[in-house]
Amino acid sequence: MMKYFKVILIILFSLRLSAQCFPDRHNTTWFDAWESCETAPNPNSLRGDSHWILYDLGYDYSLGIMHLWNINDPENIDDGVKKMVVDYSSDGNTWHEYEALNISQGIGRSIYEGEDIVDFNGLNVRSLLFNIVENYGGDCFGFAELKIGVEPATSTDIVGLDIDCDDVGNATLLEWTYDGDMKNINFVVERSNDGVNWKFLSSLRAKNTMADKNKYYYKDANEDDAFYRITLTDNDDNRLNTSDVVYCTKSNIKLSAYPNPFSDFSKVEVYSLGEGIMYYRLTDILGNKVKEGSINPSSTFTNIDISGDNLANGAYFLEVIQGEHRSQLKMIKI
């Protein structure tokens, strides 16, 4: 048995309409489940060695109702979770406890439908950590499946977030407008080298005027390729919402993808002023390589086709290297 299991949660947007008596029933096979039979160091160091499972969603999402199916195999039904504590995080480092949950035991029959166990009420997070505290007396700890209703936690109030990567002195200039309520709003500018770990750059106060839209600017002296985003906070530093992520490249290689996010297929357009063979590599959020190849371009524009087949939902990074130049693009599979 594995000590722990770490995955990117498959985001489900579904509306179930069925005349079946048990539309969400779950089978009774032992292998259709996640189980932990040995403790392991918890990502939240305050919890020490424990039984846990971490879901990294790749982006911040607004969470709704969570439905869970406990272990339903009649011979392993006692391994099912009885009590677990949910922690959440937006950076994977700082964790906050959300709630302790009590879970009903599976019934060991194919008509088992699971249960709604918590409503996150729009909580905006990137990572969820489920800490299994107690089971029903078995040797291992786990559950069969879970489903969470989610929506992207992007702001509809931040309009036209633009970026100029070649401003004076090779600085990066961010420009955006805001047409929401100006009262008690701050704009936190953040930068990331990998799209995962974010660094605070500055906090700007919203203009308290009656204008429908107000323009805001921030200039970053950074000369390296980087991701940027704007986070809205209130006066108590409570996170309210986050803009889309934009990417700035200083190299001779510029990347753009359509569609992105994508489901079945995405075409990446590569613009390069250099010469020679291009090497590309697609990695998941944990750095695992999922695709690589090379191209000998015949013009300044070339394409890389990315198939969604066999890719789990979540965030990926496409890196393109040509000689001394390189560029990176964040892609989202949904």
Side-chain angles (χ1 to χ4, degrees), residues 175-279:
E175 177 183 341
W176 68 95
T177 57
Y178 180 74
D179 62 0
D181 184 0
M182 301 296 175
K183 186 178 181 181
N184 300 326
I185 292 294
N186 301 296
F187 303 102
V188 176
V189 184
E190 298 173 294
R191 182 181 71 214
S192 171
N193 294 327
D194 57 9
V196 178
N197 302 298
W198 293 89
K199 176 182 179 181
F200 169 86
L201 295 180
S202 180
S203 179
L204 288 72
R205 177 74 175 167
K207 301 172 185 176
N208 189 18
T209 69
M210 297 301 294
D212 291 336
K213 294 182 181 179
N214 284 291
K215 287 190 174 182
Y216 298 85
Y217 305 90
Y218 179 79
K219 181 178 288 189
D220 183 19
N222 176 56
E223 297 183 3
D224 299 323
D225 296 353
F227 297 91
Y228 292 88
R229 71 182 183 185
I230 309 295
T231 297
L232 275 66
T233 66
D234 60 20
N235 286 343
D236 295 323
D237 293 327
N238 294 313
R239 184 191 189 97
L240 302 177
N241 229 322
T242 304
S243 73
D244 291 329
V245 175
V246 293
Y247 182 67
C248 176
T249 177
K250 306 287 186 174
S251 70
N252 286 346
I253 304 174
K254 298 185 184 299
L255 306 176
S256 60
Y258 181 82
N260 189 22
F262 68 101
S263 178
D264 300 323
F265 175 84
S266 181
K267 183 179 289 295
V268 179
E269 183 176 75
V270 184
Y271 169 78
S272 172
L273 297 177
E275 297 180 353
I277 296 176
M278 286 181 183
Y279 299 92

Side-chain angles (χ1 to χ4, degrees), residues 11 16 34 40 42 66 73 78-79 82 104 108 113-114 123 129 134 243 268 294:
I11 302 164
R16 294 181 179 270
W34 164 79
N42 196 295
M66 182 170 81
D73 171 27
D78 290 341
D79 291 346
K82 184 176 182 179
S104 300
E113 294 187 283
L123 177 72
L129 177 62
E134 183 181 359
S243 73
V268 179
S294 62

Side-chain angles (χ1 to χ4, degrees), residues 53-182:
I53 181 170
L54 170 66
Y55 289 92
D56 187 333
L57 310 183
Y59 273 116
D60 281 358
Y61 285 91
S62 176
L63 305 185
I65 295 175
M66 182 170 81
H67 191 95
L68 184 141
W69 291 263
N70 218 334
I71 290 178
N72 198 41
D73 171 27
E75 296 183 2
N76 295 280
I77 196 172
D78 290 341
D79 291 346
V81 57
K82 184 176 182 179
K83 181 177 181 180
M84 69 179 179
V85 179
V86 180
D87 294 335
Y88 65 92
S89 173
S90 288
D91 59 13
N93 296 311
T94 303
W95 294 95
H96 307 278
E97 181 175 322
Y98 184 77
E99 191 173 340
L101 305 174
N102 296 313
I103 317 297
S104 300
Q105 190 174 25
I107 62 176
R109 299 172 60 195
S110 60
I111 62 172
Y112 175 55
E113 294 187 283
E115 60 183 326
D116 291 340
I117 60 171
V118 65
D119 187 346
F120 288 104
N121 293 306
L123 177 72
N124 289 342
V125 297
R126 169 177 174 143
S127 299
L128 287 173
L129 177 62
F130 298 102
N131 308 285
I132 314 304
V133 178
E134 183 181 359
N135 65 5
Y136 280 90
D139 296 328
C140 297
F141 298 72
F143 53 85
E145 182 183 351
L146 62 79
K147 179 177 69 175
I148 305 175
V150 299
E151 294 180 357
T154 54
S155 173
T156 57
D157 295 327
I158 293 181
V159 180
L161 176 57
D162 294 321
I163 189 167
D164 183 354
C165 299
D166 303 309
D167 196 54
V168 178
N170 206 29
T172 301
L173 178 65
L174 279 75
E175 177 183 341
W176 68 95
T177 57
Y178 180 74
D179 62 0
D181 184 0
M182 301 296 175

